Amino acid sequence: MATSRANEILPVLEQDIVTGKLTPGTRLDETVLAEKFGVSRTPIREALNRLSTSGLVEIRPRRGAIVAAISVQDLMNMFEVMADLEALCARLAARRITPAEKEALRAAHVDCHALSGTENFDEYYVLNLRLHDLLYKASHNSFLEKQVCELRRRLSPHRRLQVRIPGRILASSNEHGALVKAVIDGDAALAEKLTRNHVAIQGERFTDFLATLPSHYLQASA
């Protein structure tokens, strides 16, 4: 039950932090939050611990949890590494994917693409995660899969916001179509290139990404 309630509380706190409603340095008092959400302190503590693993919250001994400071440069560095890790997954997947995994990847893309003309942001985000998970598993490199999943957890709140950029669902789904085809066709070099471009934030996507961030990210970069 505590984990179930923590799962409900987590996205609310994530959203408040990445949109600037809760600014860096804000103390996250377990008792106050428990009263706000109408729960015991146990699911609050679990949610805060999970936010700590994603880098959004800093838990200090005997001082409790506070909202962590993070800059645009920090985020860009993480996205840069994420793009390379996912590109490597795609390259290996193109060489190692099994027939059953090909079918699962095709089906995942069909499900994502069905939402490409909608504004079902949260549903698309979940299906998008499923597609990328299949790509990681198809690399058949468990160490790489673990590393990319850990970094994805750090970036998850910001990737969730990206989906809400106008036109991003359609663009993302079209990019999925090309990279999925490359993986299934066994074109490792193309799969690597397309996946890196899909994950990396550059050009107009960088400007759009900045527009989703509250001002304190830019202040932290100064």
Side-chain angles (χ1 to χ4, degrees):
M1 177 65 72
T3 296
S4 175
R5 295 308 306 272
N7 289 338
E8 297 172 2
I9 294 164
L10 183 67
V12 177
L13 292 177
E14 274 186 350
Q15 183 78 359
D16 286 348
I17 292 171
V18 299
T19 59
K21 186 174 181 179
L22 291 172
T23 57
T26 301
R27 185 167 179 267
L28 300 171
D29 185 274
E30 290 182 6
T31 302
V32 172
L33 290 173
E35 291 177 357
K36 174 183 176 180
F37 288 101
V39 297
S40 70
R41 292 172 62 182
T42 300
I44 296 297
R45 189 174 299 116
E46 181 178 340
L48 292 177
N49 284 333
R50 287 161 63 182
L51 287 170
S52 176
T53 64
S54 69
L56 292 178
V57 164
E58 182 181 348
I59 298 178
R60 300 177 176 179
R62 297 182 298 279
R63 294 180 60 187
I66 64 169
V67 177
I70 188 169
S71 68
V72 171
Q73 187 61 54
D74 292 332
L75 290 175
M76 295 310 298
N77 289 342
M78 286 189 281
F79 270 106
E80 186 175 54
V81 174
M82 189 72 184
D84 279 342
L85 289 179
E86 291 215 29
L88 178 56
C89 285
R91 183 178 187 86
L92 293 177
R95 291 161 41 191
R96 301 173 179 177
I97 193 168
T98 66
E101 289 170 337
K102 288 182 180 180
E103 289 307 310
L105 196 59
R106 284 194 188 97
H109 171 55
V110 169
D111 289 342
C112 281
H113 197 65
L115 297 177
S116 60
T118 74
E119 293 185 352
N120 297 331
F121 305 116
D122 292 335
E123 185 179 354
Y124 180 83
Y125 181 74
V126 171
L127 294 176
N128 172 71
L129 291 183
R130 178 183 161 212
L131 185 149
H132 283 263
D133 278 337
L134 291 170
L135 193 64
Y136 307 157
K137 292 183 185 304
S139 73
H140 293 274
N141 183 316
S142 59
F143 180 79
L144 175 61
E145 182 182 351
K146 180 180 178 181
Q147 298 305 307
V148 75
C149 285
E150 287 182 358
L151 182 53
R152 186 178 73 182
R153 278 194 290 273
R154 293 287 305 272
L155 288 170
S156 177
H158 301 93
R159 295 184 81 168
R160 189 187 294 273
L161 281 182
Q162 275 187 290
V163 171
R164 294 179 176 272
I165 295 172
R168 183 56 198 156
I169 288 183
L170 178 58
S172 172
S173 183
N174 289 338
E175 291 165 11
H176 282 163
L179 70 87
V180 165
K181 183 178 185 303
V183 169
I184 290 174
D185 289 347
D187 191 333
L190 181 58
E192 180 179 29
K193 177 183 177 181
L194 292 174
T195 303
R196 180 177 287 108
N197 290 341
H198 174 65
V199 177
I201 299 179
Q202 52 196 352
E204 290 183 355
R205 284 182 60 191
F206 175 69
T207 304
D208 291 340
F209 176 66
L210 289 183
T212 70
L213 299 176
S215 59
H216 66 75
Y217 281 84
L218 299 175
Q219 293 166 359
S221 301

